Amino acid sequence: MKMDVTFHITVDTKTKGRFRMKGEHYYSSPQVERFKINGVNNRFILMEKRLRLKRQPWKVTKVDVPASNIQEAAMALHDMQDAIDQYLKRKGGETEGHVLNKK
């Protein structure tokens, strides 16, 4: 089912510092949850969480973000997934929210 829920996540990187990004939860079904994470300059990442899979449930479907350091980008993506998981645990019909990724 289509939905439009916005939230914010915070991701820390080693070289570039902390980033606060807007997330959009735009689709939900019993099989999949889909998200769009917006960065600066109209950059974005589309990802989905496949709910019926235990191993490797996350899938990145489209990336419009340049990455000069692949390891750092992978760690930031992992932090985004953790923050979205926290959002999904806390979600209870809210239309907006803020999720801090705490380590």
Side-chain angles (χ1 to χ4, degrees):
M1 121 175 118
K2 289 199 171 209
M3 57 188 308
D4 190 21
V5 178
T6 60
F7 59 97
H8 289 92
I9 60 174
T10 303
V11 176
D12 291 318
T13 62
K14 290 182 182 180
T15 60
K16 301 205 180 198
R18 178 176 284 182
F19 291 95
R20 183 172 182 228
M21 294 174 270
K22 179 182 165 189
E24 294 178 41
H25 188 182
Y26 67 91
Y27 182 83
S28 180
S29 75
Q31 294 86 19
V32 69
E33 303 277 352
R34 292 192 177 132
F35 301 92
K36 180 178 183 181
I37 307 299
N38 296 299
V40 295
N41 298 330
N42 295 323
R43 305 283 187 177
F44 65 91
I45 298 173
L46 295 178
M47 60 177 65
E48 60 185 38
K49 183 169 186 180
R50 298 168 291 176
L51 301 175
R52 296 196 176 167
L53 295 178
K54 297 298 179 195
R55 291 186 60 202
Q56 305 277 334
W58 284 100
K59 179 180 179 181
V60 177
T61 55
K62 187 168 183 180
V63 178
D64 183 29
V65 177
S68 58
N69 184 343
I70 300 298
Q71 289 177 330
E72 188 172 38
M75 290 303 297
L77 189 61
H78 185 266
D79 289 347
M80 286 181 219
Q81 292 168 350
D82 288 345
I84 293 172
D85 281 335
Q86 289 177 14
Y87 154 77
L88 287 172
K89 286 179 188 174
R90 291 182 13 186
K91 175 176 87 97
E94 303 130 7
T95 57
E96 291 188 19
H98 183 79
V99 177
L100 285 173
N101 187 14
K102 303 209 179 199
K103 295 189 177 193

